[in-house]
Amino acid sequence: MKILVINCGSSSLKYQLIDMDNESVIAKGLCERINIEGSKLTHKAEGKEDYVVESPMPDHSVAIQLVMDALLDKEHGVIASTDEISAIGHRVLHAGTIYSDSIVVNEDVKKVIRECFDLGPLHNPANLMGIEACEKVMPGKPNVAVFDTAFGMAMPEKAYMYAIPHEYFEKYSIRRYGFHGTSHMFVSGEAIKFGNLDPKNAKVIVCHLGNGSSISASIGGKCVDTSMGLTPLEGLIMGTRSGDVDPAVLQFVMNKEGKDINEMLNILNKKSGVLGMSGGVSSDFRDIAKAAEEGNHLAEVALDAFRYRVAKYIGAYAAAMNGVDAIAFTAGVGENDVNTRKAICAYLGYLGVEIDDEANNTRGKNQVISTADSKVKVMLIPTNEELAIARETLALV
Ligand code: AMP
C-alpha cells in the first residue's frame, strides 16, 4: 500500500510517497514559490536522477497536479496510475481543542481547520489549501489530517492552563497546545521500542532540537507536558525565536522603541533566539558553534544559554513525572550535535545520567548514548514526521 504525505506551507509543498509494506520512501520532493514568480518543483526518486520542473504554480492545486505528473512521469515517475495511491496524509498545524487524534477529512473536519485559522494563521490556511487541492486533483481518494497539536491534547489541565483570567480560555480557547506533536509522538514511541521500555508506563523526555526547538514529557507515549504554548514561541531558545521571556519585556521595549505589538512579536519570532543573542551571527547552530569556537563571546553565551535551558526543562519534566526513564534527542541539532548532547547531559548528573562518549559520537541513527550504568537511558532517535503521518493515515484507511 502506498501513501502520499503532504506538508503544505503558504508558498511551498513538500511530499513523500511511502511504500507502507516496508516503510520506504519511493519518491519525495518540494514545490517552492507557489503563487510567486519562479515556481519550481524538485522531485527525487530512488535510483533515478533528480527531476526539476520550472512551471508557474498560481495555487496549491496546480502544484499538486505537477506533483502527480512527476509521480506518473514515464522517465522520472514511480507509479503507473494514481490508483496505486491508497490515501493522502496531510500535516495540519492546529485543531484547537476539537481533535486529539488524526482523522479522515470530511466537511466538518475542514470547517474545524478553517475555524482554527486564528490559532495557526501561517499554516492552517495552507494546510487546508493542500487538502482541497488533493480533493480536486484526486477526487474520492481519502485524505487524513494529522494534527501537530494532537499529541499535546493529552496534557492535564494543570499543565495546559495559563494563569490568566479563565474567561480567555472560555472565549478564545487560550491554552498551551504544544507543537512538533507528530515528532514527539514518533520519537517517544520509537524510544520506548528501541530502549525496550515499558510501553504503558515509561517516562520519556523528548528533546526536539532544531531551528525550532521543543521538549516534551510523556508517560507511556501520552503527553504530560510540553514546552511550546499557544504558539511555537514559548519554551526553549531557538534559531530565531526567544522562547520564554517575561511578558513585561515587550511593553518596555515597545515603549522605548515606539513599536507596536505585531512588530514586537515579529522580533521575538524572527530576530531573537541564538540569532538575536549572538548579536546577529546566525540562526544556524553550526555557525553559532563555529563562532563560539573562534572566541565570539556572544555566540558562546547563546550556545550556553540554549543548552542550559534544555537542561532546566529536563529537570522540570523529571520533577513533573516524578522520575524519568529515558531522554531522547532528535531533529537537526539533537541528531547531529555531539557537543550539545554532551553539554546538556553534563547538567544531569543528579539524575544519574552518564554519557558514553564513544556511543555519543554518532549522528543520524537510533543509538543509546548513555553507559550501561546510567540510571536514565539517553538515546539519539532521528525523527521522521512523514513516516509518522503515513502510519497514522494507514491506521485510518
Ligand atoms: P532542523 O530544524 O531540525 O532541520 O535543524 C536545523 C538545525 O540543525 C540548524 O541550526 C543546523 O545548524 C543544525 N545542525 C545540523 N547539523 C548539525 C551539526 N552537525 N552540528 C550542529 N548543528 C547541526
Side-chain angles (χ1 to χ4, degrees), residues 97 118-119 166-175 177 230:
T97 55
D118 261 5
L119 289 167
H166 188 68
E167 63 182 284
Y168 300 131
F169 174 74
E170 283 178 358
K171 281 202 263 187
Y172 311 121
S173 307
I174 304 291
R175 52 162 278 175
Y177 287 95
L230 174 75

Side-chain angles (χ1 to χ4, degrees), residues 28-48:
K28 63 180 177 182
L30 167 69
C31 299
E32 295 167 275
R33 301 179 66 85
I34 298 172
N35 198 20
I36 304 174
E37 184 86 19
S39 311
K40 181 169 106 174
L41 176 150
T42 310
H43 175 85
K44 296 169 192 279
E46 189 64 35
K48 299 190 184 202

Side-chain angles (χ1 to χ4, degrees), residues 208-212 239 283-287 289 330-338 340 363 383:
H208 178 114
L209 310 179
N211 185 35
S283 63
D284 191 291
F285 280 87
R286 278 166 295 198
D287 298 340
T330 197
V333 177
E335 290 169 28
N336 295 296
D337 189 348
V338 173
T340 287
R363 289 179 185 79
T383 192

Side-chain angles (χ1 to χ4, degrees), residues 57-68:
M57 298 181 203
D59 57 36
H60 288 72
S61 296
V62 177
I64 286 281
Q65 187 58 62
L66 288 169
V67 170
M68 298 319 299

